[in-house]
Amino acid sequence: MIVLVLNSGSSSLKFQVIDTDLEAIEKSADKTLAQGVIERIGSEALITLRAEGNPPSRSTAPLRDHRAALDKVLRWLVSPDSKVPGVASIGDISAVGHRVVHGGEKFTKSVAIDDAVVDQIEDCIELAPLHNPANLKGIYAAREILGQGVPQVAVFDTSFHSTMPDTSYLYAIPYQLYVRHKVRRYGFHGTSHRYVAYRYRILTEKSYDDTNIITVHLGNGCSACAIQKGSSINTSMGLTPLEGLVMGTRGGNIDPSILEFLHHKEGLSLDQLDTLLNKQSGLLGVSGLTNDMRDLLEEERLHQDRRARLAIDIFCQRVKFYLGAYMAQMNGADAVVFTGGIGENSPEVRERICKDLDVLGIAIDKKKNKATVGRKEGDISSEKAKVRVWVLPTNEELLIARDTVRCVKDAPRRW
Ligand code: AMP
């Protein structure tokens, strides 16, 4: 069954075309047939399209909205020039899976989209005013172009964390604010944490109940997740993705009174403070150079840049804090799993995080660590380590495609 996976941003549309079904899921025989991204929708859009095994084609075209962008993708997919096997006409697309950032308390698993589900995703906009409207643009466009005959499924970043106990998800602020406005921690990156937990379970042949791990997604956004008996029991992001680890441009945890202090000292408005926290902090804010970890490591190595080093050190120390905290909350874990652009590709950052963590039973093998990059899976722990450290590349699109199949076939979708 051919599934179109859409990740719709405010001015972008990423897609993958994945051939999968219940049997392929069982055998891990799913195939990615094509992928691409359209950026700068609304003006002269940048279009990158690639059939698997072929070089990408890059072009530009004026695309006024997400509907025009999706139309462009579909026309390319069915054209013989695209060389995408198995997609000769639009009718070959059996279902569409959408990434949706916020499902609030409503959505605890992936669901088939109908009018009521669209209404409920719209209700969650106030919790994710930047992300959900963008995700909805993809849903509206796909429903309009493909019609009611093609089932569509929403896969939420928040659902995997719906198993968190109230002691993890409640903030210690007046309880009425939770009752009245659902102010609580939701967590994000759920599809990524869930995917790497699934890979860990397959590779180690563990059952759900025997899966006790800490997953650490380190990309431009970063989060950690404590997974006990196969379920998320805590995660570092909160009401919004601002909380927790240091990220590319977000600072993660800070003392909330800094906001009032800066309002008085610098005359910053709420909007300006929001921009400061979301766009000007984190690795970028501390280094004053870039949000890109690869470039920061280069600056540190070539020029011994003090603030580049500081940014990386603060980043690594914050991850250590969460490893310690979750080890304590879980009374120990069997493994730590690194994923995301940094987690998958930077042996140096992994080594700096895991340094001097013998107290937690964590120790990595330098050789294995160096060798595990570029989407390789592997256990990088030293022989004697009590807690294993794994590198497992994430694949959120694959999980979205699989959930889409499971929803359409009404099959169970744990992970
Ligand atoms: P993501 O958001 O998952 O695509 O991750 C983006 C982050 O991964 C950026 O900070 C990149 O600099 C970082 N990254 C990608 N490759 C490497 C690498 N080889 N070494 C260090 N950081 C990397």
Side-chain angles (χ1 to χ4, degrees):
M1 161 172 178
I2 293 193
V3 180
L4 174 65
V5 175
L6 294 181
N7 181 354
S8 174
S10 56
S11 64
S12 68
L13 183 71
K14 286 192 199 140
F15 74 92
Q16 281 197 13
V17 179
I18 298 178
D19 188 4
T20 182
D21 55 28
L22 291 177
E23 200 187 326
I25 295 172
E26 198 56 43
K27 295 182 178 156
S28 282
D30 340 59
K31 281 196 207 95
T32 302
L33 304 178
Q35 55 190 295
V37 57
I38 301 193
E39 294 158 287
R40 293 201 209 153
I41 296 171
S43 59
E44 188 70 8
L46 302 175
I47 305 162
T48 309
L49 306 164
R50 181 164 71 84
E52 207 55 24
N54 287 284
S57 85
R58 295 197 173 87
S59 59
T60 62
L63 295 175
R64 72 179 178 286
D65 55 18
H66 284 68
R67 191 188 188 288
L70 180 59
D71 193 56
K72 179 90 189 162
V73 170
L74 293 172
R75 279 176 198 277
W76 172 77
L77 276 177
V78 301
S79 81
D81 295 346
S82 72
K83 303 199 181 75
V84 180
V87 193
S89 77
I90 298 280
D92 291 324
I93 296 170
S94 305
V96 184
H98 295 269
R99 175 191 183 205
V100 180
V101 168
H102 218 307
E105 285 192 329
K106 187 85 214 163
F107 296 107
T108 57
K109 59 183 179 195
S110 306
V111 290
I113 299 173
D114 57 17
D115 291 346
V117 167
V118 170
D119 287 348
Q120 286 162 340
I121 297 174
E122 284 173 353
D123 288 345
C124 295
I125 286 178
E126 60 178 9
L127 294 169
L130 295 180
H131 293 103
N132 274 28
N135 304 151
L136 279 162
K137 284 183 188 173
I139 295 175
Y140 301 143
R143 293 184 97 201
E144 219 176 299
I145 298 179
L146 295 168
Q148 302 286 346
V150 178
Q152 314 223 6
V153 170
V155 179
F156 301 90
D157 277 21
T158 44
S159 323
F160 182 57
H161 304 299
S162 65
T163 47
M164 283 195 286
D166 49 7
T167 45
S168 289
Y169 73 67
L170 282 176
Y171 291 110
I173 58 175
Y175 190 83
Q176 285 311 313
L177 296 174
Y178 166 61
V179 177
R180 280 212 294 273
H181 307 296
K182 295 281 176 256
V183 175
R184 51 160 282 179
R185 308 182 58 258
Y186 292 93
F188 300 87
H189 284 153
T191 314
S192 177
H193 291 294
R194 183 176 148 221
Y195 178 77
V196 296
Y198 150 78
R199 284 304 301 159
Y200 170 83
R201 187 168 67 74
I202 296 295
L203 292 167
T204 55
E205 297 179 358
K206 301 235 180 201
S207 65
Y208 289 103
D209 279 354
D210 212 12
T211 301
N212 298 302
I213 59 177
I214 301 170
T215 50
V216 187
H217 179 111
L218 303 177
N220 202 27
C222 300
S223 68
C225 180
I227 298 176
Q228 192 167 52
K229 295 190 178 176
S231 297
S232 169
I233 60 152
N234 209 345
T235 191
S236 56
M237 285 176 167
L239 175 77
T240 75
L242 255 186
E243 193 182 338
L245 299 177
V246 175
M247 314 180 207
T249 58
R250 301 181 208 130
N253 294 342
I254 61 164
D255 179 341
S257 48
I258 291 174
L259 303 182
E260 198 205 352
F261 187 82
L262 287 180
H263 167 66
H264 289 303
K265 286 283 179 193
E266 301 255 331
L268 297 178
S269 66
L270 278 179
D271 277 354
Q272 288 169 319
L273 286 167
D274 190 62
T275 304
L276 180 132
L277 294 178
N278 275 296
K279 305 245 165 80
Q280 300 163 348
S281 299
L283 294 175
L284 172 67
V286 178
S287 70
L289 290 172
T290 172
N291 62 326
D292 193 293
M293 181 58 93
R294 207 173 354 192
D295 294 345
L296 280 180
L297 288 163
E298 191 83 344
E299 272 304 314
E300 190 191 29
R301 193 171 59 79
L302 294 179
H303 306 118
Q304 291 78 49
D305 187 275
R306 188 183 71 83
R307 277 172 51 193
R309 168 162 309 137
L310 194 56
I312 303 165
D313 284 344
I314 297 174
F315 178 97
C316 294
Q317 177 170 290
R318 186 76 56 85
V319 180
K320 272 179 192 278
F321 278 13
Y322 272 90
L323 292 179
Y326 289 165
M327 284 282 182
Q329 182 173 356
M330 296 166 77
N331 195 13
D334 294 330
V336 171
V337 177
F338 284 107
T339 194
I342 301 170
E344 292 165 26
N345 295 304
S346 179
E348 175 154 5
V349 171
R350 295 192 301 244
E351 186 176 337
R352 281 158 82 159
I353 291 169
C354 294
K355 189 164 177 272
D356 298 331
L357 283 186
D358 329 61
V359 67
L360 298 183
I362 293 173
I364 57 175
D365 178 300
K366 284 193 177 181
K367 249 192 175 160
K368 287 187 203 159
N369 183 32
K370 272 223 168 90
T372 313
V373 288
R375 298 206 61 76
K376 273 201 205 131
E377 294 185 326
D379 177 342
I380 60 167
S381 353
S382 66
E383 291 300 327
K384 64 176 182 0
K386 281 217 260 345
V387 171
R388 313 311 294 171
V389 177
W390 284 82
V391 176
L392 297 173
T394 194
N395 194 343
E396 291 159 278
E397 291 78 10
L398 181 61
L399 199 45
I400 293 172
R402 288 179 169 189
D403 266 15
T404 302
V405 169
R406 292 174 184 128
C407 273
V408 170
K409 305 269 185 205
D410 210 12
R413 41 194 178 281
R414 199 172 168 191
W415 47 271

